[in-house]
Amino acid sequence: MGLFKREAICHDNKTRLRQTRRRDREIDEGFENLTLYFFTVAVVAYIEKYAPNNRCIQILEDVVSIIPSDSPWTARDSVDPTRFMNPETPFSASRTAPELVKSNAELIDILVSTARLRNIEAISIRGSITIVDSAGSNGKSGVLTMGTGLVSGGRLGRDHMLDDIPNHFVRDQLMNYIMTQLDEDNREEPKKAVFADLSTAELEQYSAIILQKRRDIELQERTGWEEARQAHLKREAQKAAEVANQERQESLIEEIDDTVDLTPKPDFAFRDYFKLPPISGSVINPSKNAPAVSGGARKEPEERDVEVSSDIDRDCDQIRAMIARFIKSSDWSVTQFRWALKSIRRPQLIAFLEKKGHSAGKQSMVFALAWEFFKKREMVGCTLPDISNAAGVLQERDGNRGRQRPSDSGDTGDTPRKRTRRS
């Protein structure tokens, strides 16, 4: 007991104590003040260091089972059954008489001793098997304490012990460990010792089945990882495309000649409301056009009874100029404008803005919807600003970039201030 106390205090303090009478008193006092958690850790560390490796896990199970738990988990009135209730192979369940079946702890100890593993590896094997079985039907497992191999919580709502795990599942896990973690020349003795109920031929079949199951799981994981990687790449490509579209859209709006003559051209085109229903959003208040907004509240009172004729009286270049002037001179973002036009997509808007010519884009839904948008604004008294009075809207452009805009200061000698447009 004295050795255990000393080891416990040294483990807690991370120091080595010299044995003196004074030190003995300090050890006794320190041992009495150990928390239950550190006491449990000290027990596991002591077993790991001093227990024979052919009895390590059996001793650990016996000792831990009588230590009071300080776990926050509370036992449940009803518990989830293990997911591994049924044997997965013809060799998983032991073929010996029930009274002669080796316990889970005995099986681990046999593996550790015949494979000449250390006690710390035995404790690690115990923890890795226990944590898997602790998962309930909701997929949530218990909590594995690193270094001790102890698992708290999970499907039983309490500390999970080796005795809670089906024996056939432990056998499967140990065969998997032998075949994947031990060197090839160190497998035969542990296999024959742990699975003494099986013949050499049966052991070969058993190990082959376990290895195939392992490969199947790894293939599923790789497939899942590849699918996740492809999905991530697709999202990144979409983001890059969206950024490129946004930049292209801004560039087009900058380049459009918004000084074109906007004199109406009656009977230029026909607005077919059967083929393309009228816009339902607000042409006054952009906040009412967000996708989350629905119902009659999407329009302001003064625009709800506005009806527009079928006579489109602007050509395509005029509509493009009106879009550019509107975006440059209003508080609407391009996204809000698209939402108002029945949520047209950015590539659709770009395709229309890229065209040049009076009839270029005449069949585009953007053309019809944008004309309707501006016609409704005109009917409720919201007219486009006069471009000649729009000084200060945009930065003056140099000769290498195209047509010049009025500068903010009105004096070409001053440093112009660029307006940032919202997309």
Side-chain angles (χ1 to χ4, degrees), residues 3 6-7 10-11 16 42-53 56 118-120 123:
L3 177 60
R6 173 180 291 276
E7 291 287 335
C10 291
H11 186 83
R16 178 62 58 183
V43 167
V44 175
Y46 187 85
I47 293 173
E48 177 186 310
K49 187 173 183 179
Y50 294 105
N53 71 342
C56 171
R118 297 174 298 162
N119 286 354
I120 188 173
I123 292 173

PDB file of all heavy atoms in Angstrom, residues 3 6-7 10-11 16 42-53 56 118-120 123:
ATOM      1  N   LEU A   3       3.809   1.605  -1.341  1.00  0.00           N
ATOM      2  CA  LEU A   3       4.332   1.851  -2.676  1.00  0.00           C
ATOM      3  C   LEU A   3       3.282   2.503  -3.554  1.00  0.00           C
ATOM      4  O   LEU A   3       3.580   3.441  -4.301  1.00  0.00           O
ATOM      5  CB  LEU A   3       4.801   0.524  -3.298  1.00  0.00           C
ATOM      6  CG  LEU A   3       5.318   0.614  -4.737  1.00  0.00           C
ATOM      7  CD1 LEU A   3       6.518   1.545  -4.824  1.00  0.00           C
ATOM      8  CD2 LEU A   3       5.661  -0.780  -5.263  1.00  0.00           C
ATOM      9  N   ARG A   6       2.892   6.160  -2.602  1.00  0.00           N
ATOM     10  CA  ARG A   6       4.014   6.955  -3.096  1.00  0.00           C
ATOM     11  C   ARG A   6       3.872   7.191  -4.602  1.00  0.00           C
ATOM     12  O   ARG A   6       4.069   8.305  -5.084  1.00  0.00           O
ATOM     13  CB  ARG A   6       5.323   6.234  -2.779  1.00  0.00           C
ATOM     14  CG  ARG A   6       6.566   6.889  -3.395  1.00  0.00           C
ATOM     15  CD  ARG A   6       7.806   6.110  -3.018  1.00  0.00           C
ATOM     16  NE  ARG A   6       8.074   6.266  -1.609  1.00  0.00           N
ATOM     17  CZ  ARG A   6       8.735   7.306  -1.081  1.00  0.00           C
ATOM     18  NH1 ARG A   6       9.168   8.266  -1.879  1.00  0.00           N
ATOM     19  NH2 ARG A   6       8.952   7.389   0.203  1.00  0.00           N
ATOM     20  N   GLU A   7       3.540   6.130  -5.330  1.00  0.00           N
ATOM     21  CA  GLU A   7       3.387   6.260  -6.780  1.00  0.00           C
ATOM     22  C   GLU A   7       2.258   7.228  -7.129  1.00  0.00           C
ATOM     23  O   GLU A   7       2.347   8.012  -8.064  1.00  0.00           O
ATOM     24  CB  GLU A   7       3.114   4.891  -7.412  1.00  0.00           C
ATOM     25  CG  GLU A   7       4.295   3.939  -7.368  1.00  0.00           C
ATOM     26  CD  GLU A   7       5.391   4.325  -8.333  1.00  0.00           C
ATOM     27  OE1 GLU A   7       5.088   4.998  -9.334  1.00  0.00           O
ATOM     28  OE2 GLU A   7       6.548   3.955  -8.095  1.00  0.00           O
ATOM     29  N   CYS A  10       3.468  10.779  -6.402  1.00  0.00           N
ATOM     30  CA  CYS A  10       4.470  11.164  -7.399  1.00  0.00           C
ATOM     31  C   CYS A  10       3.815  11.411  -8.753  1.00  0.00           C
ATOM     32  O   CYS A  10       4.175  12.333  -9.477  1.00  0.00           O
ATOM     33  CB  CYS A  10       5.541  10.078  -7.514  1.00  0.00           C
ATOM     34  SG  CYS A  10       6.612   9.933  -6.068  1.00  0.00           S
ATOM     35  N   HIS A  11       2.827  10.575  -9.101  1.00  0.00           N
ATOM     36  CA  HIS A  11       2.132  10.742 -10.383  1.00  0.00           C
ATOM     37  C   HIS A  11       1.359  12.043 -10.399  1.00  0.00           C
ATOM     38  O   HIS A  11       1.334  12.752 -11.409  1.00  0.00           O
ATOM     39  CB  HIS A  11       1.189   9.560 -10.603  1.00  0.00           C
ATOM     40  CG  HIS A  11       0.540   9.570 -11.948  1.00  0.00           C
ATOM     41  ND1 HIS A  11       1.166   9.084 -13.076  1.00  0.00           N
ATOM     42  CD2 HIS A  11      -0.674  10.032 -12.349  1.00  0.00           C
ATOM     43  CE1 HIS A  11       0.365   9.232 -14.118  1.00  0.00           C
ATOM     44  NE2 HIS A  11      -0.767   9.790 -13.708  1.00  0.00           N
ATOM     45  N   ARG A  16       9.564  12.911  -8.082  1.00  0.00           N
ATOM     46  CA  ARG A  16       9.981  11.724  -7.350  1.00  0.00           C
ATOM     47  C   ARG A  16      10.343  12.136  -5.918  1.00  0.00           C
ATOM     48  O   ARG A  16      11.124  13.051  -5.705  1.00  0.00           O
ATOM     49  CB  ARG A  16      11.182  11.079  -8.042  1.00  0.00           C
ATOM     50  CG  ARG A  16      11.743   9.857  -7.332  1.00  0.00           C
ATOM     51  CD  ARG A  16      10.738   8.730  -7.250  1.00  0.00           C
ATOM     52  NE  ARG A  16      10.285   8.318  -8.561  1.00  0.00           N
ATOM     53  CZ  ARG A  16       9.356   7.395  -8.763  1.00  0.00           C
ATOM     54  NH1 ARG A  16       8.752   6.824  -7.718  1.00  0.00           N
ATOM     55  NH2 ARG A  16       8.990   7.065  -9.969  1.00  0.00           N
ATOM     56  N   ALA A  42      -4.147   7.346 -10.966  1.00  0.00           N
ATOM     57  CA  ALA A  42      -3.017   6.726 -10.284  1.00  0.00           C
ATOM     58  C   ALA A  42      -3.149   5.204 -10.275  1.00  0.00           C
ATOM     59  O   ALA A  42      -2.168   4.480 -10.429  1.00  0.00           O
ATOM     60  CB  ALA A  42      -2.917   7.257  -8.858  1.00  0.00           C
ATOM     61  N   VAL A  43      -4.387   4.727 -10.094  1.00  0.00           N
ATOM     62  CA  VAL A  43      -4.624   3.274 -10.108  1.00  0.00           C
ATOM     63  C   VAL A  43      -4.235   2.697 -11.462  1.00  0.00           C
ATOM     64  O   VAL A  43      -3.529   1.679 -11.545  1.00  0.00           O
ATOM     65  CB  VAL A  43      -6.102   2.960  -9.781  1.00  0.00           C
ATOM     66  CG1 VAL A  43      -6.420   1.505 -10.100  1.00  0.00           C
ATOM     67  CG2 VAL A  43      -6.397   3.249  -8.324  1.00  0.00           C
ATOM     68  N   VAL A  44      -4.706   3.335 -12.532  1.00  0.00           N
ATOM     69  CA  VAL A  44      -4.403   2.847 -13.875  1.00  0.00           C
ATOM     70  C   VAL A  44      -2.907   2.896 -14.136  1.00  0.00           C
ATOM     71  O   VAL A  44      -2.325   1.953 -14.695  1.00  0.00           O
ATOM     72  CB  VAL A  44      -5.167   3.669 -14.932  1.00  0.00           C
ATOM     73  CG1 VAL A  44      -4.762   3.233 -16.347  1.00  0.00           C
ATOM     74  CG2 VAL A  44      -6.668   3.510 -14.747  1.00  0.00           C
ATOM     75  N   ALA A  45      -2.253   3.975 -13.716  1.00  0.00           N
ATOM     76  CA  ALA A  45      -0.808   4.107 -13.919  1.00  0.00           C
ATOM     77  C   ALA A  45      -0.048   3.031 -13.146  1.00  0.00           C
ATOM     78  O   ALA A  45       0.946   2.475 -13.631  1.00  0.00           O
ATOM     79  CB  ALA A  45      -0.359   5.504 -13.483  1.00  0.00           C
ATOM     80  N   TYR A  46      -0.529   2.721 -11.943  1.00  0.00           N
ATOM     81  CA  TYR A  46       0.125   1.696 -11.116  1.00  0.00           C
ATOM     82  C   TYR A  46      -0.027   0.321 -11.773  1.00  0.00           C
ATOM     83  O   TYR A  46       0.933  -0.457 -11.850  1.00  0.00           O
ATOM     84  CB  TYR A  46      -0.494   1.685  -9.718  1.00  0.00           C
ATOM     85  CG  TYR A  46       0.216   0.791  -8.724  1.00  0.00           C
ATOM     86  CD1 TYR A  46       1.316   1.259  -8.021  1.00  0.00           C
ATOM     87  CD2 TYR A  46      -0.214  -0.518  -8.506  1.00  0.00           C
ATOM     88  CE1 TYR A  46       1.976   0.447  -7.102  1.00  0.00           C
ATOM     89  CE2 TYR A  46       0.429  -1.344  -7.596  1.00  0.00           C
ATOM     90  CZ  TYR A  46       1.524  -0.857  -6.895  1.00  0.00           C
ATOM     91  OH  TYR A  46       2.176  -1.678  -5.998  1.00  0.00           O
ATOM     92  N   ILE A  47      -1.231   0.007 -12.234  1.00  0.00           N
ATOM     93  CA  ILE A  47      -1.466  -1.277 -12.904  1.00  0.00           C
ATOM     94  C   ILE A  47      -0.634  -1.366 -14.174  1.00  0.00           C
ATOM     95  O   ILE A  47      -0.027  -2.407 -14.479  1.00  0.00           O
ATOM     96  CB  ILE A  47      -2.962  -1.434 -13.231  1.00  0.00           C
ATOM     97  CG1 ILE A  47      -3.773  -1.565 -11.938  1.00  0.00           C
ATOM     98  CG2 ILE A  47      -3.211  -2.631 -14.146  1.00  0.00           C
ATOM     99  CD1 ILE A  47      -5.274  -1.561 -12.141  1.00  0.00           C
ATOM    100  N   GLU A  48      -0.592  -0.277 -14.901  1.00  0.00           N
ATOM    101  CA  GLU A  48       0.192  -0.240 -16.133  1.00  0.00           C
ATOM    102  C   GLU A  48       1.665  -0.532 -15.862  1.00  0.00           C
ATOM    103  O   GLU A  48       2.334  -1.203 -16.655  1.00  0.00           O
ATOM    104  CB  GLU A  48       0.036   1.145 -16.772  1.00  0.00           C
ATOM    105  CG  GLU A  48       0.855   1.359 -18.031  1.00  0.00           C
ATOM    106  CD  GLU A  48       0.758   2.786 -18.515  1.00  0.00           C
ATOM    107  OE1 GLU A  48      -0.374   3.290 -18.638  1.00  0.00           O
ATOM    108  OE2 GLU A  48       1.817   3.396 -18.750  1.00  0.00           O
ATOM    109  N   LYS A  49       2.155  -0.072 -14.718  1.00  0.00           N
ATOM    110  CA  LYS A  49       3.574  -0.207 -14.402  1.00  0.00           C
ATOM    111  C   LYS A  49       3.927  -1.543 -13.752  1.00  0.00           C
ATOM    112  O   LYS A  49       4.975  -2.122 -14.038  1.00  0.00           O
ATOM    113  CB  LYS A  49       3.987   0.948 -13.486  1.00  0.00           C
ATOM    114  CG  LYS A  49       5.480   1.021 -13.203  1.00  0.00           C
ATOM    115  CD  LYS A  49       5.808   2.289 -12.422  1.00  0.00           C
ATOM    116  CE  LYS A  49       7.312   2.413 -12.184  1.00  0.00           C
ATOM    117  NZ  LYS A  49       7.633   3.656 -11.436  1.00  0.00           N
ATOM    118  N   TYR A  50       3.033  -2.049 -12.896  1.00  0.00           N
ATOM    119  CA  TYR A  50       3.411  -3.191 -12.066  1.00  0.00           C
ATOM    120  C   TYR A  50       2.628  -4.485 -12.344  1.00  0.00           C
ATOM    121  O   TYR A  50       3.072  -5.567 -11.960  1.00  0.00           O
ATOM    122  CB  TYR A  50       3.260  -2.831 -10.581  1.00  0.00           C
ATOM    123  CG  TYR A  50       4.220  -1.764 -10.127  1.00  0.00           C
ATOM    124  CD1 TYR A  50       3.783  -0.458  -9.893  1.00  0.00           C
ATOM    125  CD2 TYR A  50       5.574  -2.029  -9.953  1.00  0.00           C
ATOM    126  CE1 TYR A  50       4.649   0.531  -9.484  1.00  0.00           C
ATOM    127  CE2 TYR A  50       6.461  -1.046  -9.548  1.00  0.00           C
ATOM    128  CZ  TYR A  50       5.997   0.233  -9.312  1.00  0.00           C
ATOM    129  OH  TYR A  50       6.867   1.202  -8.915  1.00  0.00           O
ATOM    130  N   ALA A  51       1.480  -4.409 -12.972  1.00  0.00           N
ATOM    131  CA  ALA A  51       0.692  -5.626 -13.183  1.00  0.00           C
ATOM    132  C   ALA A  51       1.344  -6.508 -14.232  1.00  0.00           C
ATOM    133  O   ALA A  51       1.922  -6.009 -15.202  1.00  0.00           O
ATOM    134  CB  ALA A  51      -0.729  -5.266 -13.608  1.00  0.00           C
ATOM    135  N   PRO A  52       1.281  -7.831 -14.061  1.00  0.00           N
ATOM    136  CA  PRO A  52       1.791  -8.733 -15.109  1.00  0.00           C
ATOM    137  C   PRO A  52       0.950  -8.580 -16.368  1.00  0.00           C
ATOM    138  O   PRO A  52      -0.264  -8.413 -16.293  1.00  0.00           O
ATOM    139  CB  PRO A  52       1.633 -10.125 -14.487  1.00  0.00           C
ATOM    140  CG  PRO A  52       0.560  -9.963 -13.465  1.00  0.00           C
ATOM    141  CD  PRO A  52       0.686  -8.581 -12.936  1.00  0.00           C
ATOM    142  N   ASN A  53       1.602  -8.636 -17.539  1.00  0.00           N
ATOM    143  CA  ASN A  53       0.859  -8.329 -18.762  1.00  0.00           C
ATOM    144  C   ASN A  53      -0.127  -9.422 -19.148  1.00  0.00           C
ATOM    145  O   ASN A  53      -0.936  -9.228 -20.042  1.00  0.00           O
ATOM    146  CB  ASN A  53       1.813  -8.028 -19.923  1.00  0.00           C
ATOM    147  CG  ASN A  53       2.534  -9.267 -20.422  1.00  0.00           C
ATOM    148  OD1 ASN A  53       2.603 -10.293 -19.744  1.00  0.00           O
ATOM    149  ND2 ASN A  53       3.122  -9.161 -21.609  1.00  0.00           N
ATOM    150  N   CYS A  56      -3.128  -7.858 -16.786  1.00  0.00           N
ATOM    151  CA  CYS A  56      -3.262  -6.400 -16.665  1.00  0.00           C
ATOM    152  C   CYS A  56      -4.720  -5.947 -16.758  1.00  0.00           C
ATOM    153  O   CYS A  56      -5.222  -5.247 -15.875  1.00  0.00           O
ATOM    154  CB  CYS A  56      -2.418  -5.725 -17.741  1.00  0.00           C
ATOM    155  SG  CYS A  56      -2.682  -3.939 -17.879  1.00  0.00           S
ATOM    156  N   ARG A 118       3.196  -4.132 -24.345  1.00  0.00           N
ATOM    157  CA  ARG A 118       3.283  -3.499 -23.024  1.00  0.00           C
ATOM    158  C   ARG A 118       1.885  -3.269 -22.457  1.00  0.00           C
ATOM    159  O   ARG A 118       0.892  -3.246 -23.193  1.00  0.00           O
ATOM    160  CB  ARG A 118       4.014  -2.160 -23.134  1.00  0.00           C
ATOM    161  CG  ARG A 118       5.467  -2.275 -23.591  1.00  0.00           C
ATOM    162  CD  ARG A 118       6.064  -0.900 -23.801  1.00  0.00           C
ATOM    163  NE  ARG A 118       5.337  -0.172 -24.855  1.00  0.00           N
ATOM    164  CZ  ARG A 118       5.394   1.131 -25.022  1.00  0.00           C
ATOM    165  NH1 ARG A 118       6.119   1.888 -24.190  1.00  0.00           N
ATOM    166  NH2 ARG A 118       4.725   1.706 -25.993  1.00  0.00           N
ATOM    167  N   ASN A 119       1.831  -3.084 -21.150  1.00  0.00           N
ATOM    168  CA  ASN A 119       0.537  -2.854 -20.497  1.00  0.00           C
ATOM    169  C   ASN A 119      -0.160  -1.602 -21.019  1.00  0.00           C
ATOM    170  O   ASN A 119      -1.395  -1.556 -21.098  1.00  0.00           O
ATOM    171  CB  ASN A 119       0.722  -2.754 -18.983  1.00  0.00           C
ATOM    172  CG  ASN A 119       0.995  -4.103 -18.345  1.00  0.00           C
ATOM    173  OD1 ASN A 119       0.932  -5.131 -19.010  1.00  0.00           O
ATOM    174  ND2 ASN A 119       1.308  -4.113 -17.050  1.00  0.00           N
ATOM    175  N   ILE A 120       0.620  -0.594 -21.371  1.00  0.00           N
ATOM    176  CA  ILE A 120       0.012   0.633 -21.881  1.00  0.00           C
ATOM    177  C   ILE A 120      -0.719   0.366 -23.194  1.00  0.00           C
ATOM    178  O   ILE A 120      -1.758   0.974 -23.491  1.00  0.00           O
ATOM    179  CB  ILE A 120       1.096   1.741 -22.068  1.00  0.00           C
ATOM    180  CG1 ILE A 120       0.417   3.071 -22.411  1.00  0.00           C
ATOM    181  CG2 ILE A 120       2.106   1.356 -23.140  1.00  0.00           C
ATOM    182  CD1 ILE A 120       1.383   4.242 -22.444  1.00  0.00           C
ATOM    183  N   ILE A 123      -4.055  -1.316 -22.320  1.00  0.00           N
ATOM    184  CA  ILE A 123      -5.046  -0.322 -21.886  1.00  0.00           C
ATOM    185  C   ILE A 123      -5.587   0.455 -23.076  1.00  0.00           C
ATOM    186  O   ILE A 123      -6.771   0.779 -23.147  1.00  0.00           O
ATOM    187  CB  ILE A 123      -4.413   0.609 -20.838  1.00  0.00           C
ATOM    188  CG1 ILE A 123      -4.134  -0.174 -19.541  1.00  0.00           C
ATOM    189  CG2 ILE A 123      -5.313   1.812 -20.555  1.00  0.00           C
ATOM    190  CD1 ILE A 123      -3.353   0.597 -18.504  1.00  0.00           C
TER     191      ILE A 123
END
